[in-house]
mmCIF file of all heavy atoms in Angstrom:
data_model
loop_
_atom_site.group_PDB
_atom_site.id
_atom_site.type_symbol
_atom_site.label_atom_id
_atom_site.label_comp_id
_atom_site.label_asym_id
_atom_site.label_seq_id
_atom_site.Cartn_x
_atom_site.Cartn_y
_atom_site.Cartn_z
ATOM 1 N N SER X 1 -10.299 4.663 -14.819
ATOM 2 C CA SER X 1 -10.917 3.403 -14.398
ATOM 3 C C SER X 1 -10.877 3.297 -12.881
ATOM 4 O O SER X 1 -9.985 3.850 -12.229
ATOM 5 C CB SER X 1 -10.177 2.209 -15.011
ATOM 6 O OG SER X 1 -8.899 2.044 -14.411
ATOM 7 N N PHE X 2 -11.849 2.592 -12.323
ATOM 8 C CA PHE X 2 -11.878 2.408 -10.865
ATOM 9 C C PHE X 2 -10.653 1.631 -10.393
ATOM 10 O O PHE X 2 -10.080 1.936 -9.341
ATOM 11 C CB PHE X 2 -13.162 1.681 -10.453
ATOM 12 C CG PHE X 2 -14.380 2.543 -10.457
ATOM 13 C CD1 PHE X 2 -15.354 2.388 -11.438
ATOM 14 C CD2 PHE X 2 -14.560 3.527 -9.496
ATOM 15 C CE1 PHE X 2 -16.494 3.197 -11.453
ATOM 16 C CE2 PHE X 2 -15.689 4.334 -9.499
ATOM 17 C CZ PHE X 2 -16.661 4.170 -10.479
ATOM 18 N N VAL X 3 -10.231 0.651 -11.180
ATOM 19 C CA VAL X 3 -9.037 -0.125 -10.816
ATOM 20 C C VAL X 3 -7.814 0.786 -10.784
ATOM 21 O O VAL X 3 -6.990 0.738 -9.855
ATOM 22 C CB VAL X 3 -8.820 -1.291 -11.808
ATOM 23 C CG1 VAL X 3 -7.466 -1.966 -11.549
ATOM 24 C CG2 VAL X 3 -9.945 -2.307 -11.690
ATOM 25 N N GLY X 4 -7.687 1.634 -11.808
ATOM 26 C CA GLY X 4 -6.566 2.569 -11.858
ATOM 27 C C GLY X 4 -6.593 3.557 -10.708
ATOM 28 O O GLY X 4 -5.541 3.883 -10.124
ATOM 29 N N GLN X 5 -7.792 4.037 -10.347
ATOM 30 C CA GLN X 5 -7.917 4.996 -9.243
ATOM 31 C C GLN X 5 -7.539 4.360 -7.915
ATOM 32 O O GLN X 5 -6.853 4.973 -7.092
ATOM 33 C CB GLN X 5 -9.342 5.550 -9.173
ATOM 34 C CG GLN X 5 -9.790 6.352 -10.392
ATOM 35 C CD GLN X 5 -8.874 7.514 -10.716
ATOM 36 O OE1 GLN X 5 -7.970 7.411 -11.538
ATOM 37 N NE2 GLN X 5 -9.085 8.633 -10.045
ATOM 38 N N ILE X 6 -7.988 3.122 -7.706
ATOM 39 C CA ILE X 6 -7.655 2.416 -6.461
ATOM 40 C C ILE X 6 -6.157 2.133 -6.395
ATOM 41 O O ILE X 6 -5.514 2.318 -5.354
ATOM 42 C CB ILE X 6 -8.473 1.111 -6.357
ATOM 43 C CG1 ILE X 6 -9.966 1.442 -6.173
ATOM 44 C CG2 ILE X 6 -7.979 0.248 -5.189
ATOM 45 C CD1 ILE X 6 -10.890 0.244 -6.324
ATOM 46 N N ALA X 7 -5.585 1.707 -7.527
ATOM 47 C CA ALA X 7 -4.147 1.436 -7.565
ATOM 48 C C ALA X 7 -3.342 2.695 -7.300
ATOM 49 O O ALA X 7 -2.347 2.680 -6.558
ATOM 50 C CB ALA X 7 -3.768 0.843 -8.926
ATOM 51 N N GLY X 8 -3.780 3.804 -7.899
ATOM 52 C CA GLY X 8 -3.086 5.075 -7.690
ATOM 53 C C GLY X 8 -3.171 5.534 -6.250
ATOM 54 O O GLY X 8 -2.173 5.956 -5.654
ATOM 55 N N ALA X 9 -4.376 5.439 -5.669
ATOM 56 C CA ALA X 9 -4.563 5.848 -4.281
ATOM 57 C C ALA X 9 -3.718 4.988 -3.340
ATOM 58 O O ALA X 9 -3.074 5.502 -2.414
ATOM 59 C CB ALA X 9 -6.042 5.753 -3.902
ATOM 60 N N ALA X 10 -3.708 3.688 -3.586
ATOM 61 C CA ALA X 10 -2.932 2.776 -2.739
ATOM 62 C C ALA X 10 -1.436 3.056 -2.850
ATOM 63 O O ALA X 10 -0.705 3.043 -1.853
ATOM 64 C CB ALA X 10 -3.228 1.329 -3.126
ATOM 65 N N THR X 11 -0.981 3.328 -4.073
ATOM 66 C CA THR X 11 0.444 3.623 -4.288
ATOM 67 C C THR X 11 0.855 4.899 -3.578
ATOM 68 O O THR X 11 1.872 4.943 -2.877
ATOM 69 C CB THR X 11 0.742 3.740 -5.795
ATOM 70 O OG1 THR X 11 0.398 2.515 -6.443
ATOM 71 C CG2 THR X 11 2.207 4.050 -6.036
ATOM 72 N N ILE X 12 0.059 5.948 -3.768
ATOM 73 C CA ILE X 12 0.370 7.240 -3.145
ATOM 74 C C ILE X 12 0.388 7.110 -1.625
ATOM 75 O O ILE X 12 1.349 7.523 -0.965
ATOM 76 C CB ILE X 12 -0.656 8.313 -3.585
ATOM 77 C CG1 ILE X 12 -0.510 8.625 -5.072
ATOM 78 C CG2 ILE X 12 -0.487 9.592 -2.756
ATOM 79 C CD1 ILE X 12 -1.659 9.436 -5.645
ATOM 80 N N PHE X 13 -0.678 6.527 -1.071
ATOM 81 C CA PHE X 13 -0.774 6.443 0.384
ATOM 82 C C PHE X 13 0.338 5.576 0.966
ATOM 83 O O PHE X 13 0.982 5.956 1.955
ATOM 84 C CB PHE X 13 -2.136 5.892 0.808
ATOM 85 C CG PHE X 13 -2.282 5.782 2.307
ATOM 86 C CD1 PHE X 13 -2.657 6.889 3.055
ATOM 87 C CD2 PHE X 13 -2.005 4.597 2.973
ATOM 88 C CE1 PHE X 13 -2.767 6.814 4.437
ATOM 89 C CE2 PHE X 13 -2.111 4.509 4.347
ATOM 90 C CZ PHE X 13 -2.497 5.623 5.082
ATOM 91 N N THR X 14 0.565 4.426 0.362
ATOM 92 C CA THR X 14 1.570 3.499 0.908
ATOM 93 C C THR X 14 2.957 4.131 0.912
ATOM 94 O O THR X 14 3.672 4.092 1.926
ATOM 95 C CB THR X 14 1.589 2.196 0.089
ATOM 96 O OG1 THR X 14 0.284 1.600 0.120
ATOM 97 C CG2 THR X 14 2.605 1.216 0.668
ATOM 98 N N TRP X 15 3.343 4.720 -0.217
ATOM 99 C CA TRP X 15 4.668 5.322 -0.303
ATOM 100 C C TRP X 15 4.821 6.482 0.676
ATOM 101 O O TRP X 15 5.769 6.535 1.459
ATOM 102 C CB TRP X 15 4.967 5.790 -1.720
ATOM 103 C CG TRP X 15 6.067 6.809 -1.785
ATOM 104 C CD1 TRP X 15 5.953 8.137 -2.088
ATOM 105 C CD2 TRP X 15 7.464 6.602 -1.491
ATOM 106 N NE1 TRP X 15 7.168 8.775 -2.018
ATOM 107 C CE2 TRP X 15 8.118 7.851 -1.654
ATOM 108 C CE3 TRP X 15 8.215 5.490 -1.110
ATOM 109 C CZ2 TRP X 15 9.490 8.014 -1.441
ATOM 110 C CZ3 TRP X 15 9.584 5.648 -0.896
ATOM 111 C CH2 TRP X 15 10.209 6.893 -1.072
ATOM 112 N N VAL X 16 3.879 7.405 0.635
ATOM 113 C CA VAL X 16 4.018 8.607 1.461
ATOM 114 C C VAL X 16 3.928 8.254 2.943
ATOM 115 O O VAL X 16 4.708 8.765 3.761
ATOM 116 C CB VAL X 16 2.957 9.665 1.082
ATOM 117 C CG1 VAL X 16 3.052 10.871 2.014
ATOM 118 C CG2 VAL X 16 3.136 10.112 -0.367
ATOM 119 N N PHE X 17 3.003 7.371 3.309
ATOM 120 C CA PHE X 17 2.844 7.016 4.715
ATOM 121 C C PHE X 17 4.094 6.311 5.257
ATOM 122 O O PHE X 17 4.616 6.684 6.322
ATOM 123 C CB PHE X 17 1.618 6.117 4.906
ATOM 124 C CG PHE X 17 1.382 5.708 6.342
ATOM 125 C CD1 PHE X 17 0.786 6.581 7.238
ATOM 126 C CD2 PHE X 17 1.778 4.457 6.797
ATOM 127 C CE1 PHE X 17 0.584 6.217 8.564
ATOM 128 C CE2 PHE X 17 1.577 4.090 8.115
ATOM 129 C CZ PHE X 17 0.979 4.967 8.999
ATOM 130 N N ILE X 18 4.589 5.314 4.529
ATOM 131 C CA ILE X 18 5.750 4.559 5.026
ATOM 132 C C ILE X 18 7.002 5.435 5.042
ATOM 133 O O ILE X 18 7.762 5.448 6.027
ATOM 134 C CB ILE X 18 5.970 3.292 4.179
ATOM 135 C CG1 ILE X 18 4.808 2.312 4.396
ATOM 136 C CG2 ILE X 18 7.304 2.625 4.530
ATOM 137 C CD1 ILE X 18 4.854 1.086 3.516
ATOM 138 N N ALA X 19 7.232 6.174 3.958
ATOM 139 C CA ALA X 19 8.413 7.045 3.902
ATOM 140 C C ALA X 19 8.351 8.115 4.987
ATOM 141 O O ALA X 19 9.367 8.436 5.630
ATOM 142 C CB ALA X 19 8.521 7.697 2.527
ATOM 143 N N SER X 20 7.157 8.652 5.222
ATOM 144 C CA SER X 20 6.990 9.677 6.260
ATOM 145 C C SER X 20 7.174 9.085 7.649
ATOM 146 O O SER X 20 7.802 9.699 8.521
ATOM 147 C CB SER X 20 5.599 10.319 6.152
ATOM 148 O OG SER X 20 5.440 10.976 4.915
ATOM 149 N N LEU X 21 6.623 7.892 7.862
ATOM 150 C CA LEU X 21 6.743 7.233 9.166
ATOM 151 C C LEU X 21 8.214 6.996 9.518
ATOM 152 O O LEU X 21 8.646 7.250 10.651
ATOM 153 C CB LEU X 21 5.971 5.909 9.153
ATOM 154 C CG LEU X 21 5.722 5.243 10.509
ATOM 155 C CD1 LEU X 21 4.782 6.097 11.362
ATOM 156 C CD2 LEU X 21 5.122 3.852 10.301
ATOM 157 N N ILE X 22 8.980 6.551 8.533
ATOM 158 C CA ILE X 22 10.416 6.324 8.752
ATOM 159 C C ILE X 22 11.121 7.646 9.057
ATOM 160 O O ILE X 22 11.946 7.744 9.984
ATOM 161 C CB ILE X 22 11.046 5.637 7.525
ATOM 162 C CG1 ILE X 22 10.487 4.219 7.371
ATOM 163 C CG2 ILE X 22 12.570 5.613 7.633
ATOM 164 C CD1 ILE X 22 10.855 3.547 6.060
ATOM 165 N N THR X 23 10.788 8.680 8.283
ATOM 166 C CA THR X 23 11.418 9.995 8.483
ATOM 167 C C THR X 23 11.081 10.567 9.853
ATOM 168 O O THR X 23 11.960 11.046 10.582
ATOM 169 C CB THR X 23 10.973 10.978 7.380
ATOM 170 O OG1 THR X 23 11.236 10.400 6.096
ATOM 171 C CG2 THR X 23 11.708 12.305 7.505
ATOM 172 N N TRP X 24 9.791 10.524 10.215
ATOM 173 C CA TRP X 24 9.369 11.001 11.542
ATOM 174 C C TRP X 24 10.090 10.215 12.641
ATOM 175 O O TRP X 24 10.519 10.790 13.654
ATOM 176 C CB TRP X 24 7.860 10.848 11.721
ATOM 177 C CG TRP X 24 6.950 11.781 10.989
ATOM 178 C CD1 TRP X 24 5.948 11.435 10.134
ATOM 179 C CD2 TRP X 24 6.907 13.212 11.063
ATOM 180 N NE1 TRP X 24 5.287 12.550 9.674
ATOM 181 C CE2 TRP X 24 5.852 13.660 10.230
ATOM 182 C CE3 TRP X 24 7.655 14.169 11.767
ATOM 183 C CZ2 TRP X 24 5.528 14.999 10.077
ATOM 184 C CZ3 TRP X 24 7.330 15.515 11.598
ATOM 185 C CH2 TRP X 24 6.288 15.916 10.769
ATOM 186 N N ALA X 25 10.203 8.892 12.460
ATOM 187 C CA ALA X 25 10.827 8.041 13.484
ATOM 188 C C ALA X 25 12.296 8.389 13.677
ATOM 189 O O ALA X 25 12.797 8.425 14.816
ATOM 190 C CB ALA X 25 10.670 6.574 13.104
ATOM 191 N N VAL X 26 12.990 8.653 12.571
ATOM 192 C CA VAL X 26 14.407 9.035 12.668
ATOM 193 C C VAL X 26 14.544 10.373 13.390
ATOM 194 O O VAL X 26 15.404 10.551 14.269
ATOM 195 C CB VAL X 26 15.043 9.096 11.262
ATOM 196 C CG1 VAL X 26 16.441 9.706 11.336
ATOM 197 C CG2 VAL X 26 15.102 7.700 10.654
ATOM 198 N N ILE X 27 13.692 11.326 13.033
ATOM 199 C CA ILE X 27 13.729 12.641 13.688
ATOM 200 C C ILE X 27 13.428 12.502 15.177
ATOM 201 O O ILE X 27 14.076 13.127 16.031
ATOM 202 C CB ILE X 27 12.730 13.607 13.020
ATOM 203 C CG1 ILE X 27 13.160 13.897 11.580
ATOM 204 C CG2 ILE X 27 12.633 14.923 13.811
ATOM 205 C CD1 ILE X 27 12.131 14.672 10.771
ATOM 206 N N LYS X 28 12.449 11.653 15.501
ATOM 207 C CA LYS X 28 12.103 11.425 16.908
ATOM 208 C C LYS X 28 13.285 10.843 17.671
ATOM 209 O O LYS X 28 13.554 11.228 18.823
ATOM 210 C CB LYS X 28 10.898 10.477 16.991
ATOM 211 C CG LYS X 28 10.419 10.219 18.409
ATOM 212 C CD LYS X 28 9.168 9.337 18.423
ATOM 213 C CE LYS X 28 8.644 9.137 19.843
ATOM 214 N NZ LYS X 28 7.415 8.302 19.867
ATOM 215 N N LEU X 29 14.001 9.943 17.034
ATOM 216 C CA LEU X 29 15.150 9.298 17.665
ATOM 217 C C LEU X 29 16.298 10.280 17.884
ATOM 218 O O LEU X 29 16.983 10.245 18.911
ATOM 219 C CB LEU X 29 15.618 8.130 16.786
ATOM 220 C CG LEU X 29 16.659 7.183 17.376
ATOM 221 C CD1 LEU X 29 16.086 6.433 18.577
ATOM 222 C CD2 LEU X 29 17.150 6.204 16.309
#
């Protein structure tokens, strides 16, 4: 379903982007 695809895409992007941003920031620090 389009709703399921959008929800899946949003979940994947949000989790990976935020978790990666935090990880990159710690490494940078």
